[in-house]
């Protein structure tokens, strides 16, 4: 039966009753009933939503002074959190919150101005007011209780920021009741924003989320203190606390749920496609032309705007220390197992770190300015290694690799990797003595040789990162050098090269790594040079790769016998590190959410050339289309590393696919020739030509079988004047694009969906942004 909006006795029973927890609300209001009301008596559902919002607005107006008012506000909050997903899943209802409810419940049709606001706006403004409500969500500054209620509208909420940190020095007394109330309100906010989950993925950047758009606009007078509160609460959190072992088992931590919720709300409000805006580039110029405004207006999303404007060193230090502390938390090995609290929200932290680097270039430079960047690198490598066999964590693998790709575009990152690696993180990788660069190469080798099939699209990215840092690596350990050669060996087998149209790119990347190290860091890299000499047959085979049809067919036959993606022989050699365990696959029954495809490496990156003085200039991609060879005219040497390769192979791909009638791609002699002729082997061949006879002579003369003598000889050798002219260093820098913006959106909402299980806010609703699968 439709119930009149004025029937307060009926409606009040939903929120005026005794305290119910959010879990109770979810149990008492089953999904089937919400859907039934939605279909059979829509006017009642509309009235319920309207009345619940009205109660929140009244609570915000009055300042929630009595226990009863606070209880009503929390109950309405829980009820709306329960109902909203069922409103979003029905396209006919989606516009409901954006309509105005004329004079409902106002006893008569008097249209006052308040009513002109859409319901969604009233709801969001009420929630933001309630997040700075003295004695409810923040500490009251008034000492005496006799005084009149603080007028909620005259409050300067900047004085009530929740935690010291960016732009705020005072740390309020912790109050667990306030933390609980904030958490409930943030849960409701996140639910409001989750309308995005009910729309299919589209790369259309105009598809902005109206809830987030309004919330982050100038209409929200608490935008700045709220942004600051969320950021500071996350970055100031220390899960280990006072360091008493097992303390998290003795008393519960009210801060952690708040920090998780804050991190989730923060990354959702920062969901902004920077590729469509003219955001300032690294050197402070905008991507627009000189004719544009001198000072481009910041994005109209205030949260993105504030984030991009943080600039004080101490603020950067606070953020970086906080994020590094939380990311390293799962790695903390204590003598007592399970004695330290392990946080679970590292995926949200990685998205937040990505946003910080993407929107605030000064922050990115601050991170790379000191070796603090290694405190971010090591946990990321740990997560990548740990998740490589688990199908449910493909998204985590991607974001870790994206962050490293972004960092590797800057020269400083490569330089920082030379710092010796001494901390011992429990990872099942061979023991080695060396630098952080060695650690990176060993973990990447492990991902490529023992990850699961679905990681193959990431191989390009992983090798691009190694190429980007290679000119700066002063001395690789023998373990890492052997890993690189093992990859080249695996990728240059004929069956691998001939079995897919883009596989040869991986060989080009690896050759570029060897060329960079030999040309720019020959002196310290005797281990790598020795490994190249030992495996010289791999390079000779590549140079003599057969291109006739018969050999191509023979090469492909070999594949049928060896189904393994990459031979795993000798990739397991060496002792693993203590306390380690191999990556575990997902437990059966684990849920995972699908992801949209990520753009190819040529879309993800743009080439920059490093000039003599270390500055970079971007290479115009148009150039590569101009020259007939597909080589940009900037080629300074005959050993140009696969420049224009991508555009070339795409042309070939089109030509070839049209050639084969079945629609199946097949390798042809012309195709093999087209890239074989460009293999940048000159530098390595010259090195082998000079050094192999010398090394063989030493071995014969001294009857040597001991590699330390040979290494000593190589350390003092030189190739000055014998190698071809060094090629210019090419760096492939990450560039923002709508493809990755869309990927981040689906990934982030997938994480939020799976992490909110208590209560299960979106579970079993008709989500469209991704699919939910059981592993």
């Amino acid at each position: 039966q439709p119930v009149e909006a004025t029937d307060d006795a009926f409606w009040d029973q939903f929120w005026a009753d005794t305290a119910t927890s959010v879990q109770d609300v979810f149990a008492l209001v089953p999904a089937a009933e919400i859907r039934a009301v939605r279909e059979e008596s829509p006017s009642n559902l509309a009235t319920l939503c309207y009345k619940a919002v009205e109660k929140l607005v009244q609570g915000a107006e009055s300042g929630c002074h009595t226990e009863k008012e606070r209880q009503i506000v929390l109950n309405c909050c829980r009820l709306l959190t329960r109902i909203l997903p069922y409103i979003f899943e029905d396209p006919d209802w989606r516009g409901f919150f954006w309509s105005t409810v004329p004079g409902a419940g106002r006893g008569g049709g008097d249209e006052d101005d308040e009513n002109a606001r859409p319901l969604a706006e009233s709801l969001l403004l009420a929630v933001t007011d309630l997040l700075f409500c003295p004695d409810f969500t923040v500490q009251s500054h008034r000492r005496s209780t006799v005084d009149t209620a603080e007028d909620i509208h005259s409050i300067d909420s900047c004085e009530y920021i929740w935690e010291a940190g960016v732009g705020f020095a005072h740390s309020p007394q912790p109050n667990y009741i306030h933390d609980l109330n904030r958490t409930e309100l943030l849960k409701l906010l996140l639910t409001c924003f989750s309308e995005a989950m009910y729309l299919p993925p589209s790369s259309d950047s105009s598809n902005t989320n109206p809830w987030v758009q309004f919330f982050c606009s100038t209409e929200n007078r608490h935008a700045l203190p709220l942004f600051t509160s969320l950021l500071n609460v996350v970055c100031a959190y220390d899960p280990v606390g006072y360091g008493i072992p097992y303390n998290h088992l003795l008393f519960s931590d009210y801060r952690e749920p708040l920090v998780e919720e804050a991190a989730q709300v923060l990354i959702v409000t920062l969901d902004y496609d920077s590729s469509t805006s003219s955001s300032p580039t690294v050197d402070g110029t905008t991507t627009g032309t000189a004719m544009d405004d001198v000072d481009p207006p910041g994005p109209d999303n205030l949260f993105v705007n504030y984030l991009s404007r943080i600039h004080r060193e101490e603020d950067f230090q606070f953020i970086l220390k906080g994020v590094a502390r939380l990311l390293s938390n799962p790695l903390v090995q204590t003598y007592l197992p399970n004695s330290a609290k392990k946080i679970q929200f590292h995926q949200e932290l990685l998205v937040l770190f990505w946003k910080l680097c993407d929107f605030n270039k000064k922050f990115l430079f601050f991170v790379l300015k000191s070796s603090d960047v290694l405190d971010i690198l090591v946990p990321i490598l740990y997560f990548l290694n740990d998740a490589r066999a688990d199908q449910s964590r493909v998204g985590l693998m991607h974001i870790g690799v994206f962050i490293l790709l972004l960092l590797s575009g800057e020269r400083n990152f490569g330089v920082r990797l030379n710092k010796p690696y001494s901390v011992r993180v429990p990872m099942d990788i061979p023991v080695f003595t060396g630098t952080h660069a060695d650690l990176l190469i060993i973990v990447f080798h492990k991902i490529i040789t023992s990850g699961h099939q679905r990681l193959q699209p990431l191989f390009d990215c992983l090798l691009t990162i190694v190429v980007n840092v290679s000119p700066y690596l002063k001395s690789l350990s023998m373990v890492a050098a052997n890993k690189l050669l093992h990859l080249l060996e695996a990728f240059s087998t004929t069956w691998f090269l001939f079995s897919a149209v883009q596989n040869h790119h991986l060989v080009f990347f690896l050759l570029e790594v060897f060329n960079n190290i030999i040309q720019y860091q020959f002196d310290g890299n005797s281990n790598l040079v020795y490994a190249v000499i030992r495996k010289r047959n791999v390079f000779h085979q590549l140079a003599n790769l057969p291109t006739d049809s018969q050999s191509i067919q023979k090469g492909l036959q070999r594949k049928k016998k060896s189904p393994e993606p990459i031979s795993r022989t000798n990739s397991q050699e060496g002792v693993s590190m203590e306390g380690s365990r191999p990556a575990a696959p997902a437990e059966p029954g684990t849920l995972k959410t699908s992801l949209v495809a990520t753009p190819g490496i040529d879309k993800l990156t743009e080439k920059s050339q490093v000039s003599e003085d270390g500055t970079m200039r971007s290479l115009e991609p148009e150039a590569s289309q101009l020259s007939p060879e597909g080589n940009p005219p900037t080629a300074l040497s005959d050993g140009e590393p696969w420049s224009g390769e991508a555009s070339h192979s795409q042309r070939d791909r089109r030509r070839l696919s049209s050639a084969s009638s079945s629609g199946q791609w097949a390798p042809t002699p012309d195709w093999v020739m087209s890239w074989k002729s460009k293999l940048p082997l000159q530098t390595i061949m010259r090195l082998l030509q000079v050094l192999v006879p010398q090394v063989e002579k030493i071995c014969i003369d001294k009857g040597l079988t001991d590699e330390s003598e040979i290494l000593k000889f190589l350390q003092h050798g030189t190739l000055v004047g014998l190698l071809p002219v060094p090629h210019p260093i090419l760096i492939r820098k990450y560039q923002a694009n709508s493809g990755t913006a869309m990927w981040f959106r689906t990934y982030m909402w997938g994480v939020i969906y799976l992490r909110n299980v208590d209560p299960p806010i979106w579970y079993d609703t008709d989500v469209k942004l991704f699919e939910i699968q059981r592993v």
Side-chain angles (χ1 to χ4, degrees), residues 226-255:
L226 200 56
F227 169 76
T228 313
S229 295
L230 295 172
L231 184 63
N232 291 355
V233 156
V234 173
C235 295
Y237 179 56
D238 184 358
V240 180
Y242 301 106
I244 315 160
Y246 298 106
N247 64 352
H248 64 289
L249 302 179
L250 304 179
F251 37 86
S252 72
D253 172 0
Y254 293 98
R255 203 20 79 109

Side-chain angles (χ1 to χ4, degrees), residues 406-421:
L406 180 71
L407 295 173
S408 74
E410 307 299 332
R411 174 181 177 275
N412 264 355
F413 181 65
V415 175
R416 299 284 161 240
L417 289 179
N418 290 308
K419 187 177 179 186
Y421 174 69

Side-chain angles (χ1 to χ4, degrees), residues 358-376:
D358 196 20
F359 295 148
N360 191 323
K361 288 296 173 257
K362 289 198 179 89
F363 177 74
L364 177 60
F365 288 131
F366 177 83
V367 170
L368 292 165
K369 199 172 69 174
S370 71
S371 50
D372 288 349
V373 65
L374 303 175
D375 298 337
I376 299 284

